[in-house]
Amino acid sequence: MVRLPGRPVTRPPRPFGQPRPPRRGRPADDGANGAGNGGPPGVLRSAVAGRSVAGQVFVLQVVIVLLLVVAAVVAQVLQVRHDSDVEAGKRSLAVAQTFANAPGTVAALRAPDPTAVLQPRAEAARAATGVDFVVVMNTDGIRYTHPERDRIGKKFVGTLAPALAGRTVTEHITGTIGRLVQVVVPVKDTNGKVVGLVSAGITTAHVGGAADQQLPLLLAAAAAALGLATAGTALVSRRLLRQTRGLGPYEMTRMYEHHDAVLHAVREGVLIVGGDGRLLLANDEAHRLLELPEDAERRSVLELGLDDETAALLASGRVATDEVHLVKDRLLAINQRPTHVDGGPAGSVTTLRDSTELRALSGRAEVARERLNMLYEAGVGIGTSLDVIRTAGELAELAVPRFADFATVDLFDTVLKGEEPRPGTALRRAACAGVRDDSPLHAVGERIRFAATSPQARSLTTGESVVEPRLRGTRGWLEQDLERTEQVLAYGIHSLITVPLRAGSLVLGVADFWRSERPQPFDAEELALAEELAARAAVSIDNARRYTREHSMAVTLQRSLLPRTLPEQDALELAYRYLPAQAGVGGDWFDVLPLSGARVALVVGDVVGHGLHAAATMGRLRTAVHNFSGLDLPPDELLGLLDELVGRIDQDETAADGAGTVAGATCLYAVYDPVSRRCTVARAGHPPPALVLPDGTVEFPDVPAGPPLGLGGLPFETADLELPEGSRLVLYTDGLVEDRDRDIDVGLDLLRDALRRTAGASPEETCRTVLDRLPARPSDDVALIVARTRVLGADRVAQWEVRSDPMAVSQVRASVTRQLADWGLEELSGTTELLLSELVTNAIRYGRGPIGVRLLRDRTLICEVSDRSTTAPHLRYAASTDEGGRGLFLVAQLAERWGTRYTSDGKIIWAEQPLS
């Protein structure tokens, strides 16, 4: 709202075509009043409300008119009363004087009976003159006459002293007949002596009869005047109501103050031009933008010194939307709207906006927006991996070319290895990015030792950022490497910001931002942005450094727990692979364990979780499998013992830290016998093995899936597989066939397809083919073993049945000697005969038949004696006085290894001798 000179305060003009909204708490104004018919009732209602200025003016005017009418009536009544009093006094005085001076009055007063003479005369005079009484009395005030005869002879009520002194007395009293005026005059004789008194009186009601007849006419005239005044006031209030829009004085004052403040504070120029082309109002911003004179208001816009085009636009009052005009040295965007729409006053309202300043402001806003966008992208784009080199590269790539033309990141060598930085040592360039690839800056991987005077060295020493707006004049930087710095300057690089990469109290290195393509040097605001980018990158680099250290420790531990070489054996041709996970160290493990009787055990397992805990648990399980395998247990029994061990590990960890951490693991254990070509397999929650037959057929044998280790409560089952010679048994962990993006069934199908393509391939080639389809760094650890079966032929196996008779021992010795001679092992005959003699003798003495003897020629000579007893022999040291008990002691001394393994129908005692 603006205030026009000489006009009342009005609301701002409404948009074109938009109806006026109704005022809250009042009926909608249709241009007259709330009644909608233009008559006084609506105004009266507004007046009764009394909230608007028009209503208050209406009430005030009506009250004034009413007071004037009442005052006129009261004045008229008082005047009538005054006139009645005067008329009554004159008439009473005339009657009293006339009667007092009438002939015979004095004589009648001296007569013996004055009443008889005077009473008829007094009544006649009263009736003739219209007064209410004529009283004649003596000088003592005793009445001789009175209209009421019972009052004759009584004392007159009134003032008599002046009359007795010869003066006339006029007084107003209220008597029994009402308010009246009475006059007392003296009656004098010829000598001038007062001989009596005459009083005449009349009530004012009798005198004012004519005035009373005029009073109704007076009241009617007053009512008509009141009605006319009210109607006139209503018309005036109606116009005032329309002009003030029904606003109250407080609202008008507040709106004026607010709009006046807005007009002076708004950063847009506002002009109001009347229909005659004169400037009615210009706010402070309009004065500034147009450079208007102080006395611009009330002058024609054509006389304000504006350019012709702008002045013509303001004078025309036409509609304009964002028209750009050059006024002096400013580009002004002008919007103009007429004010006469919807019945408003003639003229126009114009707003001015300085697009020159807006353009500069928008440029600064765009720069700020770009910087905020860079910081946002730094938050989500730096530190996407736990790799130090990659994180440094992400910082450099983010800064180029949006912030700098070249960006380099230099880190201490120890940081790249995951250790804490060592100040004073050389740095290595970890990342470099630029708008061109031929810059003379140090390449990635180069070692750099900064001079003490260089900005980088100062930044590393003080921990503060350094900005060098002009490198050509920076002596400390030039002294770093005179030849290279000259090449850098010749290349066009002219400005530098170097920021230390700080993570807490550690300075990991420096980030350098170089500028060559853009001519303007770095400033303080850009230094703040560089520090923010470097601070975010430093946290990510430090996290990656810590992860690298922890990962290296875990990998070292895991590698130390995995087998470094496979044991020598002839039952299987083996190849294996182990791939660490992309993130973290897992608990995947495998092992190959030679067993008695030329058998070989294959084991593969996976511990739940990643990190040091998983690696340590894996090491404990691998050690346990080594120990349990020495007992020559069947696979199902060995898994049962592992299950108990994992359960105890869980209990120990829960008791230690109070948390219910479950180690959990899966495992597959297989034992292959090259003599029988049978493979016994049991698994605990582990994926089944794959079997590639010599003809290239790929199968997944149906091995019962037991529960994972650590759950307990359920037994494990085994499956016996008869493998043709040359079959390949493939054992693996779930990382090979299962991934976040695919189900395990899909992975098994892919493994089947890969194995089909390896028909006739060696185990080494099979491993290579299977792993070629995996990503370079899988999401989970992968352990893979491929074992091609071999058979220990019948020409290398000899066996005999032995009678439970001590005499049969000599026959066994003879048969063994002949067999060793056939194998060309005569040098082992004596030792072998002694070993078998002791073992067979013990079996005959303590075991149960049938008793069997078997010789196996493998990497060692294996002697086995079997019986149906489950009693295990125990090695003991016999005393010098004992006659026996030295048999097993001799066996232990003569054999390289010996032991006992149980079978489903008894036991086997075996002993091995080296062949050379």
Side-chain angles (χ1 to χ4, degrees):
M1 183 184 70
V2 296
R3 179 171 60 86
L4 300 179
R7 296 182 182 269
V9 179
T10 60
R11 292 181 183 270
R14 301 184 306 280
F16 299 121
Q18 180 178 338
R20 180 185 295 112
R23 293 183 295 274
R24 182 167 50 186
R26 301 185 181 92
D29 184 11
D30 61 10
N33 48 55
N37 56 9
V43 177
L44 290 176
R45 281 194 291 270
S46 298
V48 172
R51 290 188 295 267
S52 66
V53 172
Q56 295 182 7
V57 170
F58 174 76
V59 172
L60 180 62
Q61 289 182 343
V62 169
V63 170
I64 291 174
V65 170
L66 183 60
L67 290 177
L68 290 177
V69 171
V70 171
V73 172
V74 171
Q76 184 66 24
V77 171
L78 293 177
Q79 184 64 36
V80 169
R81 178 172 296 181
H82 177 267
D83 292 345
S84 298
D85 289 346
V86 173
E87 178 63 23
K90 291 181 178 179
R91 188 183 300 181
S92 298
L93 178 59
V95 171
Q97 288 181 343
T98 301
F99 196 88
N101 296 324
T105 300
V106 176
L109 287 172
R110 292 177 177 173
D113 188 4
T115 300
V117 179
L118 296 175
Q119 178 66 16
R121 294 181 182 178
E123 287 303 309
R126 182 178 66 81
T129 59
V131 297
D132 289 322
F133 62 88
V134 175
V135 177
V136 182
M137 65 198 85
N138 59 18
T139 55
D140 294 329
I142 302 301
R143 300 187 184 99
Y144 291 139
T145 64
H146 197 277
E148 302 294 335
R149 298 187 64 85
D150 57 345
R151 297 186 182 181
I152 297 174
K154 295 182 179 180
K155 183 74 171 179
F156 176 76
V157 178
T159 303
L160 301 179
L164 293 174
R167 298 192 300 272
T168 299
V169 178
T170 302
E171 58 183 347
H172 299 75
I173 65 172
T174 301
T176 57
I177 60 175
R179 186 173 180 279
L180 53 84
V181 178
Q182 66 180 10
V183 178
V184 180
V185 299
V187 179
K188 299 179 181 179
D189 57 9
T190 56
N191 296 323
K193 179 182 178 183
V194 177
V195 296
L197 302 171
V198 177
S199 175
I202 186 171
T203 59
T204 56
H206 291 166
V207 177
D212 292 341
Q213 294 175 0
Q214 297 175 359
L215 187 58
L217 180 60
L218 177 63
L219 293 176
L226 180 61
L228 292 174
T230 301
T233 301
L235 293 176
V236 173
S237 298
R238 172 186 173 183
R239 181 174 180 84
L240 185 59
L241 182 66
R242 180 186 302 172
Q243 294 181 347
T244 59
R245 307 284 180 150
L247 298 176
Y250 172 74
E251 292 174 322
M252 293 179 64
T253 302
R254 184 184 60 184
M255 288 184 66
Y256 173 79
E257 292 174 349
H258 288 180
H259 286 273
D260 188 65
V262 169
L263 282 175
H264 287 81
V266 71
R267 295 301 297 170
E268 285 193 359
V270 178
L271 299 172
I272 297 181
V273 180
D276 56 356
R278 294 183 179 275
L279 179 63
L280 301 180
L281 182 141
N283 68 345
D284 296 344
E285 186 68 5
H287 275 273
R288 185 182 71 86
L289 295 177
L290 297 178
E291 298 182 6
L292 298 176
E294 294 294 333
D295 59 346
E297 294 186 0
R298 285 299 176 185
R299 293 175 57 183
S300 174
V301 294
L302 301 176
E303 302 174 355
L304 299 179
L306 303 175
D307 62 280
D308 296 341
E309 186 179 359
T310 305
L313 172 62
L314 298 178
S316 66
R318 64 178 174 84
V319 176
T321 302
D322 288 335
E323 287 191 12
V324 179
H325 290 251
L326 179 61
V327 180
K328 302 290 190 299
D329 56 347
R330 301 178 185 273
L331 286 175
L332 302 183
I334 300 178
N335 289 272
Q336 185 168 271
R337 294 292 184 274
T339 58
H340 59 76
V341 181
D342 294 339
S348 61
V349 175
T350 306
T351 59
L352 310 172
R353 186 174 65 254
D354 190 350
S355 61
T356 305
E357 296 180 359
L358 287 177
R359 187 171 302 170
L361 181 61
S362 64
R364 293 194 295 271
E366 179 64 22
V367 171
R369 187 197 65 80
E370 175 64 20
R371 291 177 179 175
L372 288 176
N373 189 35
M374 283 189 62
L375 292 178
Y376 170 77
E377 292 186 7
V380 299
I382 298 178
T384 58
S385 67
L386 293 173
D387 185 273
V388 175
I389 298 296
R390 183 174 177 182
T391 303
E394 289 170 346
L395 170 61
E397 292 171 2
L398 176 68
V400 176
R402 299 163 63 181
F403 176 67
D405 298 319
F406 295 91
T408 58
V409 179
D410 304 320
L411 301 174
F412 289 103
D413 275 335
T414 53
V415 173
L416 298 175
K417 299 176 182 178
E419 302 174 6
E420 291 190 357
R422 297 176 184 174
T425 61
L427 288 85
R428 189 176 298 274
R429 180 135 298 173
C432 180
V435 294
R436 290 183 286 173
D437 298 331
D438 58 345
S439 70
L441 299 173
H442 289 281
V444 173
E446 290 188 25
R447 290 174 59 88
I448 307 172
R449 185 176 293 275
F450 292 105
T453 57
S454 66
Q456 291 86 348
R458 299 204 310 270
S459 182
L460 289 171
T461 303
T462 63
E464 302 293 334
S465 303
V466 178
V467 58
E468 296 292 351
R470 294 172 179 80
L471 289 175
R472 187 169 295 277
T474 305
R475 183 180 302 275
W477 177 77
L478 294 173
E479 294 175 355
Q480 168 67 31
D481 184 344
L482 295 179
E483 182 179 357
R484 185 179 294 272
T485 54
E486 286 297 331
Q487 294 175 356
V488 170
L489 293 176
Y491 188 78
I493 296 177
H494 58 85
S495 187
L496 166 67
I497 290 179
T498 179
V499 184
L501 296 173
R502 300 185 57 180
S505 60
L506 300 179
V507 178
L508 309 176
V510 292
D512 295 330
F513 303 95
W514 313 81
R515 182 164 287 177
S516 64
E517 301 295 325
R518 282 172 282 189
Q520 61 272 23
F522 287 112
D523 56 23
E525 293 184 0
E526 290 171 321
L527 175 62
L529 176 60
E531 290 176 339
E532 184 67 24
L533 292 175
R536 300 193 180 197
V539 174
S540 299
I541 292 175
D542 189 55
N543 290 338
R545 177 191 67 82
R546 294 173 183 270
Y547 170 78
T548 300
R549 180 185 61 188
E550 299 296 332
H551 184 71
S552 299
M553 293 173 58
V555 169
T556 301
L557 173 62
Q558 185 185 41
R559 293 292 187 184
S560 67
L561 297 176
L562 290 174
R564 298 183 180 180
T565 59
L566 295 181
E568 295 182 354
Q569 45 80 35
D570 291 335
L572 297 170
E573 180 185 355
L574 297 169
Y576 67 93
R577 292 289 190 276
Y578 177 80
L579 298 181
Q582 181 178 4
V585 174
D588 291 14
W589 56 284
F590 64 93
D591 218 333
V592 178
L593 306 171
L595 302 178
S596 64
R599 295 172 304 129
V600 176
L602 301 176
V603 59
V604 63
D606 184 5
V607 177
V608 175
H610 292 82
L612 292 175
H613 174 75
T617 304
M618 177 267 288
R620 298 170 72 177
L621 293 181
R622 180 169 178 259
T623 302
V625 171
H626 270 268
N627 295 330
F628 295 151
S629 66
L631 301 176
D632 263 333
L633 297 175
D636 54 340
E637 294 183 18
L638 185 141
L639 291 182
L641 295 177
L642 284 181
D643 182 64
E644 294 180 4
L645 174 62
V646 174
R648 288 195 298 270
I649 292 175
D650 292 341
Q651 293 177 1
D652 293 343
E653 292 179 351
T654 301
D657 57 14
T661 303
V662 177
T666 64
C667 183
L668 186 147
Y669 189 81
V671 177
Y672 174 69
D673 187 348
V675 177
S676 64
R677 295 183 292 106
R678 300 184 65 84
C679 182
T680 304
V681 184
R683 62 189 180 112
H686 202 82
L691 177 62
V692 184
L693 299 177
D695 60 359
T697 303
V698 179
E699 299 178 357
F700 289 96
D702 185 13
V703 180
L709 301 177
L711 297 183
L714 294 176
F716 298 97
E717 301 180 35
T718 61
D720 290 331
L721 309 176
E722 186 171 348
L723 306 180
E725 186 177 6
S727 300
R728 283 170 288 167
L729 188 66
V730 181
L731 307 182
Y732 52 90
T733 56
D734 59 355
L736 181 68
V737 295
E738 192 173 10
D739 195 79
R740 298 186 185 95
D741 301 328
R742 66 170 182 262
D743 189 68
I744 187 172
D745 293 334
V746 178
L748 291 175
D749 292 339
L750 294 175
L751 176 60
R752 186 194 305 270
D753 294 339
L755 292 175
R756 283 173 180 169
R757 294 194 295 268
T758 62
S762 66
E764 187 69 28
E765 293 172 345
T766 302
C767 286
R768 188 182 307 113
T769 302
V770 170
L771 295 182
D772 282 345
R773 66 180 183 83
L774 291 179
R777 301 189 67 182
S779 59
D780 195 6
D781 290 10
V782 174
L784 174 65
I785 301 178
V786 179
R788 182 157 60 184
T789 61
R790 296 171 179 164
V791 176
L792 195 63
D795 59 335
R796 302 173 65 180
V797 178
Q799 55 186 359
W800 302 272
E801 290 287 339
V802 180
R803 292 178 290 109
S804 297
D805 184 354
M807 299 301 294
V809 176
S810 59
Q811 299 175 358
V812 171
R813 288 199 298 266
S815 299
V816 169
T817 301
R818 288 193 299 270
Q819 184 64 51
L820 293 178
D822 294 340
W823 287 344
L825 300 176
E826 293 87 349
E827 68 275 9
L828 297 178
S829 297
T831 306
T832 304
E833 288 179 3
L834 183 57
L835 288 175
L836 287 176
S837 297
E838 293 295 333
L839 294 178
V840 171
T841 300
N842 282 338
I844 293 174
R845 182 177 298 178
Y846 301 108
R848 292 184 304 169
I851 299 172
V853 174
R854 187 172 72 165
L855 289 182
L856 301 176
R857 181 185 176 186
D858 192 32
R859 288 180 176 270
T860 59
L861 179 63
I862 304 172
C863 303
E864 295 181 346
V865 177
S866 62
D867 66 81
R868 298 296 178 90
S869 172
T870 58
T871 302
H874 296 284
L875 175 67
R876 68 184 184 87
Y877 294 95
S880 59
T881 58
D882 290 344
E883 296 183 358
R886 296 177 177 87
L888 289 180
F889 180 76
L890 292 175
V891 171
Q893 295 297 316
L894 296 175
E896 184 179 49
R897 292 195 310 155
W898 76 279
T900 303
R901 84 172 172 270
Y902 294 91
T903 63
S904 59
D905 55 1
K907 68 177 183 295
I908 296 175
I909 301 176
W910 55 270
E912 293 183 1
Q913 300 175 74
L915 296 180
S916 60

